[in-house]
Amino acid sequence: MKETLPLAYSSVKPSWSRKPIFLNVCLIVIVLLWLEIFKPSLNHTILLSRPMADVCPQQEAYDPREALGDLQIHRPSVKESVQLLSEAVQINTSVGDGWPDPDKEPDRWNDIFSPFASWIETSFPLIHAEKSPVTREFVHQHGLLYTWKGSDESLKPLVLMSHQDVVPVEQNTANQWTHPPFSGYVDLETQTVWGRGAVDCKLWLVSSLSSIESLLQSGFQPRRTVILSYGFDEESDGHQGASHIARFLEDRYGSQSIGMIVDEGLPVLSKTDYGSYGVPIALPSVDEKGALNIHMVATARGGHSSMPPPHTSIGIMSSIVATLEAHPFPDLIGDESRPSIQLLQCTRDGPLMPRALREALVRLEWAETLAQPSMAAWRHRSMPRWQKIWEWAHTSSLHQRRIEQARRRLIQALDARTRTLLRTTQAVDLIHGGIKVNALPERTEAMVNHRIAPYSSVNEVLSRYCSLITPLAREMQFALTIDGDELVPASNNTLAHVTISKRGLATDTHAASPFRGPDADPFRLLSQVIRQTWHIDQPPVTLGSLDEDTLPPSSNEWKESIRVSPATMYANTDTRWYHNLTDQIFRFGPMSLHPFLTGKSPFQHVHTVDEHVSIDSIVKATEFYTNLVIAVNHETV
């Protein structure tokens, strides 16, 4: 019988069935529907702008009627206010760095500040009258401390600060000024007063004195003690002035004994000023950046330039500077950056804000909102089940990752100048080396100024020097010591010695004064007074002629109050010495909310050529201090 090959296909039925496949598919579909896999995740459904009232809450403008009762406040005329500032600017109170203690070399200081103190005494006669309720004290020779004692000693005092000194004028730039730097020139065409100190800081010194003078003339009697504190070397870190005044006040009143401090600070921005994005806004600073000056010295063998080493001390210092500038501090936003973020959020609706920046702010607002415990129940209801399960498995880090991602997006949307204000900065401001072109430089020095972001510290800046300069020292064969630590010891091959150390005052950022929550009553009251003083619909105060002696118009008839936001002061003030006295410290520069007729932003000319201030700023500053004293006298801080 012939054998047959097996068939390719068998007639035997397979053991499997299509029915289980159908059941499995149905089960998968049911699970996907239960997980709500087709429902969009929460992140994609909520990127809608929150109301400005939520992200930038505003206080009602302060109403002084109850505080004043029947009392009518006399205010100085526009002409009087302008003349006072003009005269103050004409007295040169320039102070340099590193001046000796006034107890050791009194003549240098007396020549500058004794004439200014005499002018103040003559210009404000009621404050200095024999029977005046205001007392004047000199602290460490030239620190001015005025005390108007209140009737209720249980109320913590209000301290208004300023400083008498100004930054020196570079002699080779004196002829570049539109008007001479110490002329105090009153320009009626542009409605400005010109000169060094017209803004920083005689504007606020004269205005605060004027407010007390006018309150005395009006018969005002404070319940709360009012103190005026004027240092005399703020531009040189305040070692001789503010530090002594702060200790004097602490000895008299005790630690944490002051209700509120208001010092110089960020200004009122007009709609054309950088950072306003077209929204007039006032910026009382609740903190300020830390500060650190670094002194770098490179010493090397001298000799004739015909026999140079591989690197001179100037070459080594140049490489160090180049390394620093090639590695700027990173752009970061930390939890401590909240005041700066709040400022951006308060201008989010500005007509000049770029769309990408506005969208980045909205993303950050929602990322922070979703991280709040109060949002947990709403998030849970709004999420599809698959996202609930995923977030449950990643709860510990999800919200922080979302916030960090939104912060990175925000940094990318910011322009370079704003990123600079947020991060730790470095500026090589001084450098010197060598004495002759054919002699090897034996010593080269450089100074670097740092303004330290609120999330960083002095130690972190020093650590960065260690990590950047140590490899360079090994490569270029120089010994290196940083802040007393010998990181690269000298050897037979050493070409130079480099020492990097702190110079002068080194300060970290202190915690921000409360601007929200139960401890923020002082900030809220300050905001109310600012909104009482500045109105967007109020035209600028002007002076028609130097013979005109009219009173400034009242602000009561205007309705559209300016917006207020907390901010971080990017420079440093004398308040750095006052933190033992209170945690309610604000830095605010009362000025005009209107663009200057010169077309120049006032803060671009502080510490440089053509410092000037508008007449409206002078009047508004005096009005602000008067309103603040009245409000703080009546309210709780």
Side-chain angles (χ1 to χ4, degrees):
M1 185 176 181
K2 188 176 180 180
E3 294 184 357
T4 59
L5 295 172
L7 296 176
Y9 300 96
S10 171
S11 60
V12 179
K13 291 184 178 181
S15 59
W16 51 269
S17 170
R18 291 186 178 88
K19 186 174 181 180
I21 295 177
F22 175 76
L23 292 176
N24 288 337
V25 171
C26 288
L27 180 61
I28 291 172
V29 171
I30 290 171
V31 170
L32 292 177
L33 290 174
W34 181 83
L35 288 173
E36 301 176 311
I37 197 70
F38 303 109
K39 181 178 178 180
S41 67
L42 181 61
N43 287 348
H44 297 140
T45 63
I46 64 171
L47 285 179
L48 303 174
S49 296
R50 296 170 59 201
M52 287 300 297
D54 290 345
V55 298
C56 185
Q58 297 296 299
Q59 305 298 314
E60 292 293 330
Y62 187 73
D63 185 346
R65 287 176 294 181
E66 182 179 335
L68 288 174
D70 297 330
L71 186 66
Q72 297 294 317
I73 299 300
H74 168 84
R75 294 193 290 165
S77 69
V78 179
K79 173 186 173 182
E80 182 181 354
S81 296
V82 169
Q83 286 181 332
L84 284 170
L85 181 59
S86 173
E87 291 171 5
V89 170
Q90 293 173 45
I91 302 173
N92 185 348
T93 53
S94 302
V95 171
D97 291 332
W99 279 22
D101 191 304
D103 289 336
K104 297 179 179 179
E105 291 191 24
D107 290 345
R108 177 187 293 197
W109 300 89
N110 291 339
D111 290 345
I112 293 175
F113 291 105
S114 292
F116 190 61
S118 297
W119 173 83
I120 291 175
E121 183 174 350
T122 303
S123 301
F124 301 96
L126 294 181
I127 292 177
H128 298 87
E130 183 178 350
K131 295 184 179 181
S132 171
V134 180
T135 61
R136 179 184 65 174
E137 297 169 280
F138 290 94
V139 180
H140 203 215
Q141 303 293 341
H142 297 288
L144 286 174
L145 192 66
Y146 291 91
T147 304
W148 192 359
K149 190 173 183 180
S151 59
D152 188 346
E153 294 186 1
S154 68
L155 300 178
K156 293 183 176 182
L158 165 69
V159 175
L160 303 178
M161 294 177 58
S162 184
H163 58 88
Q164 305 168 65
D165 59 303
V166 299
V167 169
V169 173
E170 285 279 355
Q171 290 305 309
N172 58 0
T173 67
N175 60 356
Q176 299 175 22
W177 286 66
T178 302
H179 302 285
F182 294 104
S183 66
Y185 182 78
V186 180
D187 185 352
L188 294 179
E189 182 180 353
T190 60
Q191 292 290 302
T192 49
V193 175
W194 294 75
R196 173 65 82 234
V199 175
D200 187 10
C201 191
K202 289 178 178 176
L203 167 63
W204 301 309
L205 183 147
V206 170
S207 298
S208 55
L209 282 166
S210 294
S211 71
I212 300 301
E213 185 82 1
S214 66
L215 288 169
L216 285 169
Q217 185 174 353
S218 305
F220 179 80
Q221 296 179 339
R223 294 171 55 242
R224 184 187 303 276
T225 295
V226 180
I227 298 170
L228 305 181
S229 173
Y230 303 139
F232 57 95
D233 66 333
E234 189 274 346
E235 302 295 359
S236 301
D237 290 341
H239 282 280
Q240 309 298 342
S243 68
H244 288 265
I245 297 175
R247 287 196 297 271
F248 184 91
L249 290 173
E250 188 172 0
D251 290 342
R252 173 172 290 176
Y253 295 101
S255 176
Q256 297 300 307
S257 58
I258 301 300
M260 180 195 298
I261 293 176
V262 179
D263 193 10
E264 63 169 322
L266 294 180
V268 177
L269 296 183
S270 74
K271 63 182 180 181
T272 63
D273 282 329
Y274 176 83
S276 72
Y277 298 102
V279 178
I281 189 167
L283 309 177
S285 301
V286 294
D287 61 356
E288 63 183 22
K289 281 185 167 183
L292 173 64
N293 289 326
I294 290 293
H295 183 217
M296 304 189 295
V297 179
T299 56
R301 177 182 59 83
H304 199 280
S305 295
S306 61
M307 297 290 290
H311 307 289
T312 67
S313 65
I314 291 179
I316 288 173
M317 186 62 71
S318 299
S319 295
I320 293 173
V321 170
T323 298
L324 292 175
E325 296 209 335
H327 298 85
F329 286 80
D331 293 314
L332 296 173
I333 294 175
D335 293 340
E336 299 85 353
S337 306
R338 168 51 49 197
S340 297
I341 302 305
Q342 181 79 49
L343 168 57
L344 290 169
Q345 290 170 326
C346 282
T347 55
R348 171 159 61 75
D349 61 343
L352 302 181
M353 177 166 281
R355 178 178 177 180
L357 178 54
R358 183 178 292 112
E359 292 177 351
L361 284 167
V362 171
R363 286 184 176 273
L364 179 58
E365 289 163 14
W366 275 108
E368 292 175 337
T369 299
L370 293 174
Q372 296 174 4
S374 60
M375 293 293 293
W378 179 84
R379 288 199 312 269
H380 192 76
R381 289 194 305 270
S382 304
M383 287 179 186
R385 288 190 180 93
W386 68 265
Q387 191 176 12
K388 293 176 185 177
I389 295 172
W390 188 85
E391 289 210 5
W392 172 81
H394 301 83
T395 299
S396 60
S397 59
L398 176 65
H399 297 317
Q400 189 58 39
R401 289 205 308 272
R402 184 183 286 135
I403 290 173
E404 289 174 356
Q405 183 181 32
R407 286 174 175 172
R408 287 193 295 270
R409 187 187 294 263
L410 176 59
I411 288 174
Q412 293 169 358
L414 292 170
D415 61 32
R417 185 173 173 184
T418 303
R419 291 200 302 270
T420 298
L421 297 178
L422 287 172
R423 70 168 179 257
T424 297
T425 60
Q426 60 186 18
V428 183
D429 292 325
L430 297 172
I431 191 164
H432 174 76
I435 58 172
K436 202 172 185 299
V437 72
N438 63 347
L440 297 174
E442 296 173 324
R443 181 183 176 91
T444 301
E445 299 181 60
M447 290 282 289
V448 187
N449 176 263
H450 294 277
R451 302 303 167 115
I452 303 173
Y455 54 76
S456 187
S457 65
V458 169
N459 287 337
E460 187 172 344
V461 174
L462 290 172
S463 296
R464 188 170 179 82
Y465 272 83
C466 295
S467 62
L468 288 176
I469 310 304
T470 301
L472 184 67
R474 296 193 175 101
E475 176 187 344
M476 300 185 70
Q477 295 181 313
F478 61 83
L480 177 64
T481 300
I482 296 181
D483 197 31
D485 294 331
E486 187 180 48
L487 301 182
V488 179
S491 68
N492 293 333
N493 297 322
T494 296
L495 299 176
H497 293 75
V498 173
T499 301
I500 298 176
S501 58
K502 300 190 292 285
R503 172 66 64 89
L505 185 65
T507 57
D508 291 327
T509 299
H510 288 81
S513 297
F515 58 93
R516 54 186 177 180
D519 298 326
D521 285 344
F523 179 81
R524 285 189 280 266
L525 181 59
L526 178 63
S527 298
Q528 285 184 282
V529 172
I530 291 172
R531 286 172 59 79
Q532 171 197 359
T533 307
W534 283 272
H535 300 85
I536 297 173
D537 53 343
Q538 182 179 9
V541 176
T542 59
L543 181 63
S545 74
L546 294 178
D547 296 325
E548 182 181 293
D549 203 22
T550 58
L551 294 176
S554 171
S555 298
N556 296 336
E557 59 185 280
W558 309 103
K559 304 302 180 185
E560 192 177 353
S561 294
I562 194 171
R563 194 174 295 179
V564 179
S565 171
T568 293
M569 181 74 173
Y570 49 81
N572 298 105
T573 67
D574 272 342
T575 59
R576 71 183 80 183
W577 300 101
Y578 285 68
H579 286 279
N580 284 349
L581 290 165
T582 181
D583 60 358
Q584 303 288 352
I585 299 177
F586 307 103
R587 305 151 192 88
F588 177 56
M591 296 182 71
S592 177
L593 62 75
H594 299 284
F596 285 15
L597 295 180
T598 59
K600 301 176 180 180
S601 175
F603 271 69
Q604 291 181 352
H605 293 272
V606 170
H607 288 202
T608 188
V609 172
D610 272 354
E611 184 175 353
H612 62 287
V613 69
S614 69
I615 289 174
D616 184 56
S617 295
I618 304 169
V619 173
K620 279 300 181 184
T622 304
E623 182 182 350
F624 164 74
Y625 289 120
T626 304
N627 291 342
L628 181 64
V629 171
I630 293 169
V632 172
N633 179 69
H634 187 70
E635 306 297 336
T636 301
V637 295

